Amino acid sequence: MSHSTPTKMSDGGDVPARGLSRFARLRGLDRVRSFGSKMAKEPLGVVGVVVLALLLLVALLAPWIAPFDPNRQNLAQALQPPSWGHIMGTDEFGRDILSRLIWGARITMRTVLSVSAIVGPVGLVIGVAAGFFGGWTDSILMRFTDIVLSFPALVLALAFAAAMGAGLGTAVIAISLTSWPPVARLARAEALVVRNTDYVAAARLYGASPLRLLFFYVTPMCIPSVLVRLTLNMAVITLTAASLGFLGLGAQPPLAEWGAMISSGRRFMLDYWWVPVMPGFAILITSLAFNITGDALRDILDPRHTRG
Amino acid sequence: MQNDQILDVCNLTVRFANGAVRAVDGVDLSLGRGKLGIVGESGSGKSTVGRALMRLLPPFASVTADRLSFDGQDLLDLSERRMHKLRGARMSLIMQDPRYSLNPVKTIGIQVAEAARLHLGHRRKEARDAAEAILERVRIREPRRVLDAYPHQISGGMGQRVMIGMMLLAKPRLVIADEPTSALDVSVRGEVLDLLDEMVEQEGAALILISHDIRMVSAFCERIAVMYKGRVVEELAHLGEAEHIYTRGLISAMPDPRLPVRRLKVPDRAALAKLESEGGI
Amino acid sequence: MIEIRQLDITYGEGETANHVVRGIDLSIGEGESVGIVGESGCGKSTVLRSLVGLERGWRGSIQIGGRDMPQVRRIADLRLAQMVFQDPFGSLHPRHRIGTALSEAARCMGLRADPDRIAAALEEVGLPAGFADRFPHELSGGQRQRVAIARALIVEPPVILLDEPTSALDVSVQAEILNLLSDRREERGLTYLFVTHDLSVVSHMCDRILVMEKGVFSEELTADDIGAARATTPYAQHLIDASLLGHDTNP
């Protein structure tokens, strides 16, 4: 299908073949461009990436683009339906919901990115080490992973958040605690395949040390699928973070956290639907965007999942 | 009913990706009962020809031909449903690894018996007996044991025999064998070829043997078509007739234990490229 | 150069044990080129892998260049023998540039790995020095196999073990690779041990050919024996007859 998927095929000529020169100089910018052109073949994925990019931009620029102060109360304006003044209406304290959602994007993005930044490397190292070294290392690391995996993620996060005191920081740690095992398992499965390849055998023959094999040979091959997994995971993290917020164990009031917004808004659900629905919609869009981006990434990065 | 011409192909062209790549470029083939070999290196388009004849190419491949008739029917005009009926009944494909062609979650017995039911109209018990008989006919030593085995439990050679057995039930008019022996050990290779030969002889079928091994093909087939870059450069009955520099290069590049040389002759790519640019291929 | 005494390899234990290699002896002189032929599962690749130390748990003794090989190899042991693998698409790291692949081999062995050396190594196998900054997927099968050979040669081993080095290649590319291997052997006085199922390739490349069957060497042949289709055991005879199919129709 493309030049990057290895197929058992020689291009006939053994001298530098002419057909090759087209691909021969794929460097730097060109590689980004080729990634971009592959991404363009995934229209849904492009939508996901665009939505995520917008969210990230909104999160970064929150202080400048939010029309109102997210925490300024104005009881005279409480529970106003969506209008030109307040596009998404106001909540029970008269705070502008759109502004709160914009600031909430900051919290969600920060949570998602911090959790991924912790979970990715931890899961990768544990999984790759288990898969590559095998034997006792594998048994110990994987039994430990299984133990963590056997806990219901939200319950463990709840227990941890309850014990450590509610707050954004504990929410991040609590979610991280339970979301590395799937990454570790995936990395281990990849490492098991890579360690038996001929190029690793060849590296053993020229005396590459085990640590060198681990970090320079095996790990790079596991990163793409871990990246895909992480992106898909971000959807779950968004939901878990919102759940913790909903239960009052995440970001604390008056911080504008989407889950907490639903939680406080649900009392007005029947008469003032926009109060809980707007943040719910934000959560839905965000986790959906992570999901479809992850799917598109998998189609691009993981040759085993390419559609013919 | 029995007409001599089984397959008649004129100017078969296959393009991939919006015509940018011509995998097959104006190939003519005509075949009655008997064996035709298609030889070439990877990228020559030999497998694509086989697949185009079976209409098994992916949808982004465009197949055109001035004539593509099989047993008097125009293959390009047939609906996908009629084509589906044709495949496996009147034309069959044998691939390199038989284990990919067999259903991995059904035993060999079930699959062969299914073929017997489909093509001979047998009932269950009869079908099972027919399956056993056909496995014996393709010289499988313990047919009962093989009938109960799953495809991954048998060797490649055994799998090819099972494929040939199922084909004997269907009695196809045309068999396309794409590298049927290259995944097999040398000693099994001969037996599989013998079985194919027997089938062609007894059932009066046509066989297209696609392979990279020009010597093997020349020993087995009555005619050989040599393909290079999507075109048939030469059709031969015997390797001794080879005139084209590509064919000659291919033959001399193979080491021959009977004629030891110190260095192998490497095909003259510069001459080939020159010939190509002058339109000589 | 290579002395193997009573090499014995068994996988697994108890009833499911698979006795792959059954006490073989093999002695290869310096500069010799020896081939092992046999069918899949006969144990030929296992012999090769235990020779270089990729396979552990063998019994018997292995000597290369007069040194006893331990189960776990040190750098000095590894430097005596390098291997070229069958699949040119699997033996190069997909994310390492060709130059990295070569310099890694040299550096890990404690050798100089400057660009000049890499360029020389590439030129020695008939590739332009500019290939150093390409990735494996930008090369054809034959070119990759050349890189794999360069990677083995850059370590400067006296022995090279070849596991079906051309069976994944086209005939014309195979001829080029085999010529390259013969030239380098002549030039450097290398010792080759070939493992393949292709009798015409071994008879072209090797002086002595060992037929391996069910974990033992059942017969030793010369290239002339194969050319004349002359063997003493029925198995070897069958193997020769089967692989010479079509060779009587020479132009």
Side-chain angles (χ1 to χ4, degrees):
Chain A
M1 179 191 87
S2 82
H3 53 280
S4 62
T5 27
T7 43
K8 266 208 166 182
M9 184 197 272
S10 141
D11 56 24
D14 201 42
V15 287
R18 256 176 301 147
L20 222 66
S21 57
R22 270 189 296 144
F23 311 126
R25 298 284 147 190
L26 273 179
R27 302 276 174 276
L29 252 184
D30 285 354
R31 291 177 77 197
V32 176
R33 211 170 295 150
S34 102
F35 181 84
S37 70
K38 277 188 211 162
M39 195 78 200
K41 286 186 194 133
E42 309 277 345
L44 203 58
V46 174
V47 173
V49 170
V50 168
V51 170
L52 289 183
L54 280 177
L55 271 170
L56 204 63
L57 210 65
V58 163
L60 285 173
L61 302 178
W64 295 280
I65 58 173
F68 296 93
D69 180 336
N71 297 324
R72 205 190 63 204
Q73 302 189 1
N74 180 355
L75 291 173
Q77 290 272 313
L79 297 168
Q80 292 289 312
S83 66
W84 284 115
H86 299 279
I87 293 173
M88 292 189 181
T90 60
D91 66 4
E92 71 273 27
F93 297 111
R95 295 176 295 197
D96 179 49
I97 292 182
L98 177 65
S99 306
R100 286 183 70 71
L101 286 186
I102 289 174
W103 281 85
R106 272 202 154 184
I107 296 177
T108 302
M109 282 295 169
R110 197 191 295 158
T111 314
V112 165
L113 293 180
S114 344
V115 170
S116 301
I118 297 171
V119 162
V122 169
L124 186 67
V125 168
I126 290 179
V128 168
F132 179 69
F133 291 114
W136 277 107
T137 323
D138 187 26
S139 301
I140 293 171
L141 288 175
M142 278 303 116
R143 287 307 77 75
F144 179 55
T145 309
D146 286 344
I147 291 170
V148 180
L149 202 60
S150 66
F151 276 105
L154 189 63
V155 173
L156 191 68
L158 272 179
F160 186 80
M164 299 292 290
L168 202 56
T170 35
V172 167
I173 298 173
I175 301 170
S176 304
L177 269 183
T178 54
S179 38
W180 63 267
V183 177
R185 286 202 140 190
L186 181 77
R188 172 178 176 267
E190 293 281 319
L192 276 178
V193 175
V194 176
R195 97 174 160 170
N196 289 324
T197 54
D198 283 349
Y199 54 80
V200 169
R204 286 186 207 275
L205 290 189
Y206 53 69
S209 68
L211 278 184
R212 195 175 186 85
L213 285 176
L214 183 63
F215 287 112
F216 197 53
Y217 290 81
V218 180
T219 309
M221 297 307 291
C222 303
I223 285 177
S225 50
V226 164
L227 223 54
V228 170
R229 179 76 219 199
L230 273 182
T231 315
L232 290 170
N233 238 9
M234 287 178 184
V236 183
I237 297 171
T238 312
L239 292 177
T240 315
S243 310
L244 285 179
F246 183 86
L247 295 170
L249 293 165
Q252 291 302 300
L255 272 183
E257 203 275 335
W258 294 347
M261 285 169 72
I262 298 184
S263 171
S264 65
R266 84 200 131 123
R267 280 177 290 150
F268 313 104
M269 176 100 113
L270 290 178
D271 301 312
Y272 311 101
W273 57 268
W274 58 91
V275 184
V277 163
M278 294 298 175
F281 205 61
I283 295 170
L284 176 74
I285 296 283
T286 311
S287 67
L288 204 60
F290 278 127
N291 251 325
I292 56 180
T293 308
D295 265 343
L297 267 186
R298 172 160 59 197
D299 288 340
I300 294 169
L301 293 179
D302 195 341
R304 276 164 300 178
H305 284 92
T306 40
R307 318 172 181 148
Chain B
M1 170 96 196
Q2 191 80 285
N3 64 348
D4 283 326
Q5 190 96 324
I6 292 178
L7 186 72
D8 187 17
V9 179
C10 184
N11 197 20
L12 176 71
T13 301
V14 180
R15 291 186 186 83
F16 286 118
N18 307 326
V21 191
R22 274 193 193 191
V24 177
D25 193 358
V27 164
D28 303 332
L29 292 172
S30 101
L31 183 60
R33 303 169 52 159
K35 294 165 288 185
L36 168 74
I38 300 182
V39 181
E41 297 189 288
S42 54
S44 63
K46 59 184 192 301
S47 293
T48 313
V49 169
R51 260 144 234 262
L53 294 179
M54 299 284 293
R55 290 229 335 237
L56 284 173
L57 289 170
F60 57 85
S62 88
V63 181
T64 56
D66 293 349
R67 197 164 54 247
L68 187 61
S69 74
F70 166 66
D71 245 1
Q73 271 173 308
D74 191 343
L75 286 183
L76 287 177
D77 274 354
L78 282 186
S79 71
E80 187 47 45
R81 248 186 69 213
R82 298 267 311 275
M83 196 64 212
H84 189 77
K85 273 185 128 172
L86 210 62
R87 281 195 291 258
R90 288 172 57 212
M91 56 201 302
S92 294
L93 179 69
I94 304 184
M95 289 191 289
Q96 182 170 346
D97 194 336
R99 279 162 289 190
Y100 290 126
S101 319
L102 293 167
N103 185 339
V105 295
K106 285 187 182 172
T107 61
I108 304 286
I110 291 176
Q111 299 185 54
V112 179
E114 221 168 70
R117 271 155 74 179
L118 195 66
H119 300 297
L120 305 180
H122 279 329
R123 297 276 199 76
R124 290 189 74 171
K125 181 73 183 66
E126 290 171 332
R128 170 97 188 174
D129 292 343
E132 195 178 325
I134 210 78
L135 290 197
E136 240 164 284
R137 201 176 139 198
V138 291
R139 285 176 229 131
I140 289 177
R141 256 159 250 131
E142 298 168 81
R144 278 170 186 277
R145 196 180 58 79
V146 174
L147 282 176
D148 290 330
Y150 286 91
H152 67 96
Q153 291 169 321
I154 58 172
S155 67
M158 193 83 82
Q160 277 323 23
R161 283 167 215 243
V162 171
M163 289 300 293
I164 294 172
M166 287 168 75
M167 230 163 264
L168 284 169
L169 289 170
K171 295 195 174 37
R173 290 278 280 153
L174 171 68
V175 177
I176 298 174
D178 191 351
E179 303 271 10
T181 58
S182 54
L184 306 181
D185 279 323
V186 255
S187 63
V188 188
R189 199 170 288 182
E191 293 165 35
V192 169
L193 287 178
D194 285 347
L195 274 176
L196 277 175
D197 191 48
E198 220 179 278
M199 184 177 74
V200 173
E201 290 299 319
Q202 290 176 6
E203 311 294 339
L207 173 77
I208 297 182
L209 178 69
I210 299 171
S211 171
H212 66 283
D213 189 338
I214 193 167
R215 287 217 174 91
M216 188 262 280
V217 172
S218 76
F220 185 70
C221 297
E222 289 123 25
R223 275 185 308 141
I224 325 163
V226 182
M227 283 191 70
Y228 177 67
K229 295 203 172 167
R231 300 183 189 203
V232 174
V233 293
E234 192 163 32
E235 252 195 76
L236 311 162
H238 193 265
L239 284 191
E241 297 168 5
E243 277 176 5
H244 196 278
I245 68 167
Y246 177 71
T247 318
R248 299 182 73 98
L250 211 56
I251 297 167
S252 60
M254 294 185 102
D256 186 345
R258 284 158 209 246
L259 302 165
V261 286
R262 210 183 64 76
R263 278 179 70 89
L264 292 167
K265 262 175 96 175
V266 172
D268 189 348
R269 289 192 200 283
L272 264 176
K274 187 160 165 272
L275 198 63
E276 198 181 351
S277 64
E278 288 163 0
I281 290 179
Chain C
M1 204 67 209
I2 300 176
E3 287 289 337
I4 297 179
R5 291 276 158 268
Q6 287 302 309
L7 182 70
D8 204 278
I9 302 164
T10 309
Y11 292 136
E13 276 170 39
E15 292 213 348
T16 56
N18 186 7
H19 207 162
V20 186
V21 179
R22 299 163 184 261
I24 56 160
D25 294 324
L26 174 64
S27 152
I28 301 174
E30 190 176 346
E32 226 187 332
S33 173
V34 173
I36 303 178
V37 293
E39 310 212 314
S40 49
C42 74
K44 56 190 196 301
S45 287
T46 313
V47 172
L48 217 57
R49 293 175 71 88
S50 34
L51 259 175
V52 287
L54 287 174
E55 210 68 60
R56 300 205 183 137
W58 44 269
R59 290 183 304 277
S61 84
I62 297 177
Q63 272 191 356
I64 301 178
R67 286 172 66 102
D68 269 314
M69 291 291 124
Q71 297 274 345
V72 178
R73 305 292 159 90
R74 290 156 309 214
I75 294 284
D77 303 322
L78 292 170
R79 201 178 275 184
L80 292 169
Q82 286 291 310
M83 188 158 155
V84 175
F85 296 85
Q86 171 178 11
D87 179 8
F89 293 90
S91 69
L92 297 177
H93 197 290
R95 293 187 200 279
H96 289 177
R97 291 177 201 275
I98 303 308
T100 314
L102 297 180
S103 65
E104 276 282 299
R107 197 174 297 128
C108 288
M109 281 286 180
L111 299 166
R112 213 161 37 84
D114 51 277
D116 287 346
R117 192 191 178 98
I118 306 299
L122 282 172
E123 267 152 31
E124 201 182 347
V125 294
L127 293 175
F131 269 44
D133 41 57
R134 290 197 183 183
F135 281 101
H137 72 253
E138 299 167 348
L139 269 57
S140 69
Q143 289 167 340
R144 290 182 197 213
Q145 206 58 314
R146 282 170 192 266
V147 174
I149 293 168
R151 182 178 60 190
L153 289 175
I154 204 169
V155 174
E156 296 176 349
V159 176
I160 297 212
L161 307 170
L162 302 121
D163 188 2
E164 307 259 12
T166 59
S167 62
L169 303 175
D170 273 330
V171 184
S172 59
V173 181
Q174 163 173 291
E176 290 170 342
I177 298 291
L178 293 181
N179 283 343
L180 170 71
L181 287 170
S182 315
D183 293 347
R184 295 292 85 82
R185 181 161 86 98
E186 232 162 75
E187 222 175 74
R188 295 186 172 209
L190 296 166
T191 306
Y192 280 172
L193 178 57
F194 251 85
V195 156
T196 175
H197 67 272
D198 189 332
L199 262 80
S200 33
V201 168
V202 269
S203 71
H204 171 70
M205 294 299 290
C206 302
D207 322 315
R208 280 198 292 143
I209 295 116
L210 294 150
V211 180
M212 195 165 182
E213 190 189 351
K214 292 179 186 136
V216 291
F217 293 137
S218 60
E219 176 150 13
E220 183 170 330
L221 302 165
T222 63
D224 292 339
D225 289 338
I226 293 180
R230 183 173 58 217
T232 54
T233 63
Y235 177 74
Q237 189 66 51
H238 178 58
L239 213 57
I240 296 177
D241 293 343
S243 41
L244 288 186
L245 190 68
H247 280 262
D248 46 345
T249 51
N250 258 302

